[in-house]
Amino acid sequence: MASRLNPYLTFNGDARQAMEFYKEVFGGTLDLNNYGEFGQADAPNADKIMHGMLETTSGFTLMGADNPPGMHSEQGSPFSVSLSGDDDAELRGYWEKLSEGGSVSVPLEKQMWGDVFGMCTDRFGVPWMVNISTEN
C-alpha cells in the first residue's frame, strides 16, 4: 500500500453516530470496531469505537474513534477538514449535509479570490472548510 495522509478524528463517546453521519454525507464503506472486539468485552466502554474508517468512492478516507476512558479531547481545534474541487453540485451537497444541525461561520458564497467558499462546524463539533473552484 502506498503511503497516504488522512484525517483521524477523536470523539468523546459519539464516534459511532459521527462516523455513520459521515457515511450518510459522503457514501462509501464504513468499518467500525469497538473496544469489546479487541479484548475489552467487560469494560465500561466495550461498545465505544476503538477504530473506524470510512472509504468513499470519491477517494476520501476518514478515520475516527472514541477516546479511551479517562481521556478527553477538545473538539474543534486546532484543525479543520477541507473539501475542495470543481464539482459544484457534489460539494454543495456535502455542505448542506455537514452544516445541517451545526453552525456556519462563513456562508458558502463567492469570495474575493473568485471561488465559492464556506466554513461550518458540524453537529459533532468538527470544523469543515468547503472550497468550490470556479473558472475566472
Side-chain angles (χ1 to χ4, degrees), residues 43-100:
N45 65 330
D47 64 331
K48 298 300 179 193
I49 301 303
M50 183 174 180
H51 176 72
M53 184 166 75
L54 175 64
E55 293 186 288
T56 75
T57 56
S58 296
F60 302 155
T61 300
L62 184 63
M63 296 181 179
D66 286 310
N67 271 323
M71 292 185 70
H72 181 79
S73 93
E74 292 299 320
Q75 300 297 312
S77 67
F79 72 93
S80 293
V81 181
S82 176
L83 292 169
S84 58
D86 60 6
D87 189 326
D88 187 88
E90 178 182 51
L91 290 163
R92 283 182 188 276
Y94 296 151
W95 171 266
E96 292 300 320
K97 292 174 184 175
L98 290 166
S99 62
E100 183 179 335

